Amino acid sequence: AQRVTQPEKLLSVFKGAPVELKCNYSYSGSPELFWYVQYSRQRLQLLLRHISRESIKGFTADLNKGETSFHLKKPFAQEEDSAMYYCALLLRGGKLIFGQGTELSVKP
Amino acid sequence: SAVISQKPSRDICQRGTSLTIQCQVDSQVTMMFWYRQQPGQSLTLIATANQGSEATYESGFVIDKFPISRPNLTFSTLTVSNMSPEDSSIYLCSVEGDRVGTYGYTFGSGTRLTVV
């Protein structure tokens, strides 16, 4: 069955510390994965997608098919990174399956 | 990139009544998606709405409870019918397309529904 797992509900780090938000998936096909972010009082927005191998706001995510993971990383967290982060898997027909989300709190 | 206007942004409704949520997109899109986010939960797809055909519902969601209209390529509505407190959630519409030249899905700002 298709599934996205984000094991951490809350991740708290200090400003300047490295951060890694974990995402594991279960999918029999070739996965297309995304990270979405929701800042306080704002709408859900796309952060990055694995297919483009881009870096947005200092965040990167590498698809590891062997470990079925797509962890989101940033070497130096900033306070403005505090938000809710969702990992999502795209299925045929445009359906997105979301993980439970991880709340990132970056403390000064 | 597509811009989505969703309304109402929030509402408090009496049980047994119905609420229609509107989603307007500033460009023509083939597919529109409706999601639900229950309190403390992640997003779950309710249905996919294509213009000119009936919506496709996910397991656990039925047309009688969540009728959807898709009259043209820029607009869709989702109705939450005969509401109960369990329907209290955030409802979001989504379309394919984000930043120009990229591939992703854009979301509306959501409708926060409270059923009392």
Side-chain angles (χ1 to χ4, degrees):
Chain A
Q2 303 100 341
R3 187 169 57 247
V4 176
T5 304
Q6 292 178 252
E8 300 141 330
K9 199 167 184 177
L10 172 65
L11 184 62
S12 185
V13 301
F14 286 101
K15 176 183 173 181
V19 63
E20 180 180 69
L21 290 86
K22 291 184 168 51
C23 171
N24 288 90
Y25 67 91
S26 173
Y27 185 53
S28 57
S30 184
E32 286 192 57
L33 289 149
F34 303 84
W35 275 99
Y36 279 84
V37 60
Q38 189 167 29
Y39 301 102
S40 179
R41 300 181 186 280
Q42 294 187 28
R43 67 181 64 192
L44 195 67
Q45 54 188 286
L46 178 66
L47 180 61
L48 56 81
R49 55 193 184 123
H50 92 271
I51 200 168
S52 62
R53 301 187 63 81
E54 57 202 342
S55 173
I56 303 295
K57 300 184 179 182
F59 285 97
T60 59
D62 290 318
L63 176 62
N64 186 323
K65 291 187 178 181
E67 296 183 357
T68 60
S69 68
F70 188 56
H71 303 327
L72 184 68
K73 300 177 184 179
K74 185 170 184 177
F76 308 104
Q78 303 299 314
E79 289 181 68
E80 55 265 30
D81 296 328
S82 296
M84 197 74 186
Y85 291 81
Y86 293 95
C87 183
L89 170 67
L90 179 66
L91 304 182
R92 282 187 199 167
K95 174 182 178 179
L96 284 169
I97 293 181
F98 286 85
Q100 290 296 99
T102 298
E103 182 182 353
L104 175 64
S105 173
V106 182
K107 300 180 179 179
Chain B
S1 61
V3 176
I4 300 176
S5 299
Q6 187 175 337
K7 59 181 181 181
S9 58
R10 59 178 62 224
D11 206 341
I12 301 173
C13 300
Q14 297 290 323
R15 67 176 68 200
T17 63
S18 298
L19 175 73
T20 295
I21 302 167
Q22 298 180 9
C23 184
Q24 178 76 51
V25 189
D26 69 345
S27 57
Q28 293 184 340
V29 293
T30 304
M31 293 190 291
M32 295 179 75
F33 306 88
W34 287 98
Y35 286 83
R36 179 177 74 180
Q37 186 174 25
Q38 294 177 296
Q41 303 294 317
S42 188
L43 288 81
T44 301
L45 182 65
I46 297 172
T48 303
N50 292 326
Q51 196 267 334
S53 63
E54 288 217 354
T56 303
Y57 289 82
E58 297 297 309
S59 176
F61 298 97
V62 295
I63 187 171
D64 290 345
K65 177 67 176 177
F66 298 100
I68 287 171
S69 79
R70 184 78 203 275
N72 57 54
L73 291 173
T74 63
F75 186 78
S76 178
T77 67
L78 169 76
T79 299
V80 186
S81 303
N82 188 23
M83 288 183 284
S84 66
E86 292 71 36
D87 295 320
S88 297
S89 296
I90 298 173
Y91 293 86
L92 304 103
C93 65
S94 173
V95 302
E96 182 178 347
D98 193 74
R99 302 183 297 277
V100 172
T102 68
Y103 173 71
Y105 289 78
T106 302
F107 285 81
S109 54
T111 297
R112 183 180 295 271
L113 170 62
T114 302
V115 184
V116 297

